[in-house]
Amino acid sequence: MSPVRPIRGRAGAAYVDKGVPVAVGGRQVGGAPAALMHTELAFDDKRWFARFGGKYTAQRFYTFTNDGRVSPYTVWDLGGGMRHGGLTFQLNVNNLFNKRYFSTIGTNQFAASDSHGLFATMPTGAPRTLFIPVSGHPPYPRRSRTL
């Protein structure tokens, strides 16, 4: 009886650019960050409420060979408000520290390589934004019971 061999596997990847194969094995997928994280601290006592949270996006690549990259970023948000008489009053600040970052990459597709940094179109993320929403509902009429 022969010993059982450990299971082995092998994988590879290639991308063809204008008919020429481009080796992409072992590289990070374009547009996909290696890590996304979100954290939030919140308070709510049914009258007053507040929240503070952040979103982290790791470095991303817009080329298949990973030579075109976009820096990682963290955006922090802050909000709070109160409820009174069927109304809710809020103050929300998105991108609290006015971080400059690229929100989206690959909007005109991904390239095999971009060593000169000329291919990408990258829209910037929203700057610090302040919202003051007021919401609520009208009082509901009571239903009378008929027997």
Side-chain angles (χ1 to χ4, degrees):
M1 186 167 172
S2 64
V4 177
R5 291 185 169 194
I7 298 173
R8 294 183 185 218
R10 187 172 176 97
Y15 169 76
V16 178
D17 183 33
K18 298 179 185 142
V20 179
V22 178
V24 295
R27 292 185 173 82
Q28 187 173 323
V29 175
L36 290 170
M37 290 181 261
H38 173 80
T39 185
E40 184 172 86
L41 180 63
F43 165 81
D44 191 339
D45 71 358
K46 305 297 182 204
R47 179 172 168 86
W48 295 95
F49 58 93
R51 66 171 182 77
F52 176 69
K55 296 174 191 154
Y56 170 78
T57 301
Q59 172 178 270
R60 298 167 290 164
F61 297 95
Y62 63 88
T63 61
F64 294 113
T65 56
N66 291 170
D67 63 343
R69 71 190 81 227
V70 175
S71 298
Y73 65 90
T74 302
V75 176
W76 296 95
D77 300 327
L78 177 69
M82 68 171 287
R83 297 176 191 92
H84 180 72
L87 294 174
T88 301
F89 302 91
Q90 293 185 64
L91 175 69
N92 299 318
V93 182
N94 293 345
N95 195 0
L96 182 64
F97 302 113
N98 207 26
K99 176 74 174 177
R100 294 185 63 157
Y101 64 98
F102 293 113
S103 62
T104 307
I105 62 173
T107 57
N108 67 333
Q109 74 187 1
F110 294 98
S113 180
D114 187 24
S115 58
H116 299 293
L118 301 173
F119 177 77
T121 57
M122 294 181 272
T124 57
R128 181 183 308 124
T129 310
L130 177 72
F131 296 95
I132 306 175
V134 177
S135 60
H137 58 81
Y140 296 104
R142 294 184 178 222
R143 291 184 175 173
S144 60
R145 291 184 156 186
T146 54
L147 297 174

